[in-house]
Amino acid sequence: SGHLAYVNSRALKLANIDEDTKDPNYYRDPKTGKLNGIIAETAVFTIGSLVKLPPTCKLASLCRDTLNTWASKGCTTIFDAGIGSVRLKQDENILASVTSVPIPVRFYGALAIQIAVTTALPPITLGKVKVQTIKYWGDGSTQGITAALSSPYLNRGDEKGQPSYPSDDALYKAMEPLFRNGWHLMIHANGDAAIGQALRVYKSLFEAFPQKDKSIVHRIEHFTVTENDDLIKTAAELGIGISHTILHVFYWGHTFDKWVLGPPRAQRIDPVREEVEAGALVSFHSDSPVSEVNPLLYVRTAVTRLMFGRDDEEPLGKDQCVDLLQALRGVTINPAKQIKMDQDIGTLKKGKFADFVILDRDPRSTPGPELDKINVVQTWMGGKRVWPA
């Protein structure tokens, strides 16, 4: 996921990490105090940058295979929210190679803040990919116990995680130059402490630059833990887009409930109904490879809040379920607005691209728990069938 990884002693040696290393992102055995091969956050990127990758042409071929798989799931537009997070030039070369031939989806993305040039003006082009967004990371992973919470994790003493930026001022200074230059900003924030910090900084930016482009929907990725109800209200009032890894509910809901957060916090992770009622713009994403690209499974989860292998059990936070139309908006027009592409995609309308899917049954007459069993028969992009090719 980029937040946790498992490495062997050879990898640690290549990174010049030994028992004298003080960085807490290299975890240690609680009994012996020795390095145990579990690494987190910045350590993942440090060692990840040492991994030798296959040739660009091979990676590009694998990427095109993946894009075809995603087209088979009904996707017509893909947004990569972390271009260059480990290797900018390699990512740029891969994107150029992938897009050198026709692909079955539109491809947009966000440039990782680690390699962003603060004086640059948007948009820029990497390969044939238009980039007008900058991605920040405000904390870590909830299930990895590195997200920044306002209250401690379940059964972990005072452990609450830490924001990536030590203060609001530090985050403001990182975001201000790019915000001022007209970039669309997005920040990863899972825990409510990190979400709160992101919202405070967005508010400060909006106040400092009241003439900002109102067509840009700046956003927060994940928005997972919301112990404080005011976070949702504030996001809606500021016009901040919220994008959930909704399969946190499906795959990790039981884990969050029993081992990570405990009720009632786990019951209201990804609180979609409250957000919709507050007037927030909500979308769903995969955070691939954290969860698979499968829009109909996202819709099913938003409608039912059922957890993996637990259809006969109580849903996780059933009062956060939304109706089918709201769920479908979370994978169509709402994300289109969040990436500033709603003038072209997200709905079928005269003057827009003709992007649509043909399904083997009508979702409106399909029981909620069976929505993910609907098959995509055809995917069309710009009025042309792209899957099956």
Side-chain angles (χ1 to χ4, degrees), residues 186-209:
M186 60 191 301
I187 181 166
H188 161 116
N190 271 304
D192 51 354
I195 294 169
Q197 183 184 63
L199 290 171
R200 291 191 300 272
V201 171
Y202 272 132
K203 185 174 186 293
S204 296
L205 288 168
F206 294 169
E207 291 172 346
F209 300 92

Side-chain angles (χ1 to χ4, degrees), residues 64-294:
R64 283 190 286 268
D65 289 344
T66 299
L67 295 178
N68 277 309
T69 298
W70 292 349
S72 77
K73 297 294 184 179
C75 296
T76 59
T77 301
I78 298 298
F79 187 92
D80 185 333
I83 297 172
S85 56
V86 178
R87 299 175 174 91
L88 171 61
K89 195 60 183 178
Q90 185 124 30
D91 279 5
E92 186 174 358
N93 291 340
I94 293 169
L95 287 173
S97 182
V98 169
T99 57
S100 65
V101 297
I103 54 177
V105 295
R106 291 187 182 82
F107 202 112
Y108 301 98
L111 195 65
I113 183 58
Q114 295 93 316
I115 43 80
V117 177
T118 57
T119 56
L121 299 177
I124 62 172
T125 302
L126 300 177
K128 294 183 179 179
V129 177
K130 179 181 177 182
V131 176
Q132 55 187 355
T133 306
I134 302 296
K135 170 73 173 290
Y136 296 79
W137 280 264
D139 68 349
S141 161
T142 314
Q143 58 267 39
I145 321 294
T146 58
L149 305 182
S150 59
S151 300
Y153 285 93
L154 184 65
N155 298 327
R156 287 182 174 268
D158 295 330
E159 189 169 2
K160 296 189 292 186
Q162 294 291 328
S164 302
Y165 293 86
S167 66
D168 291 6
D169 185 58
L171 179 57
Y172 183 93
K173 288 179 178 177
M175 297 177 78
E176 188 272 341
L178 292 146
F179 182 90
R180 174 163 33 88
N181 283 345
W183 286 87
H184 171 222
L185 305 184
M186 60 191 301
I187 181 166
H188 161 116
N190 271 304
D192 51 354
I195 294 169
Q197 183 184 63
L199 290 171
R200 291 191 300 272
V201 171
Y202 272 132
K203 185 174 186 293
S204 296
L205 288 168
F206 294 169
E207 291 172 346
F209 300 92
Q211 302 305 316
K212 72 180 181 72
D213 185 346
K214 300 298 194 297
S215 69
I216 297 178
V217 180
H218 300 284
R219 57 195 264 191
I220 295 177
E221 301 302 290
H222 309 313
F223 211 93
T224 306
V225 182
T226 54
E227 187 174 7
N228 183 348
D229 294 346
D230 289 342
L231 296 176
I232 296 170
K233 179 182 177 182
T234 300
E237 290 175 345
L238 291 175
I240 297 298
I242 295 171
S243 192
H244 290 302
T245 311
I246 193 64
L247 295 191
H248 275 153
V249 173
F250 184 67
Y251 285 121
W252 288 283
H254 182 73
T255 300
F256 281 3
D257 193 46
K258 303 300 182 185
W259 291 288
V260 178
L261 298 172
R265 282 187 299 179
Q267 297 292 318
R268 64 192 307 271
I269 64 167
D270 301 347
V272 182
R273 183 189 61 79
E274 289 183 48
E275 294 160 352
V276 170
E277 290 181 350
L281 187 69
V282 184
S283 71
F284 309 128
H285 63 261
S286 67
D287 203 23
S288 177
V290 172
S291 69
E292 72 266 34
V293 173
N294 190 345

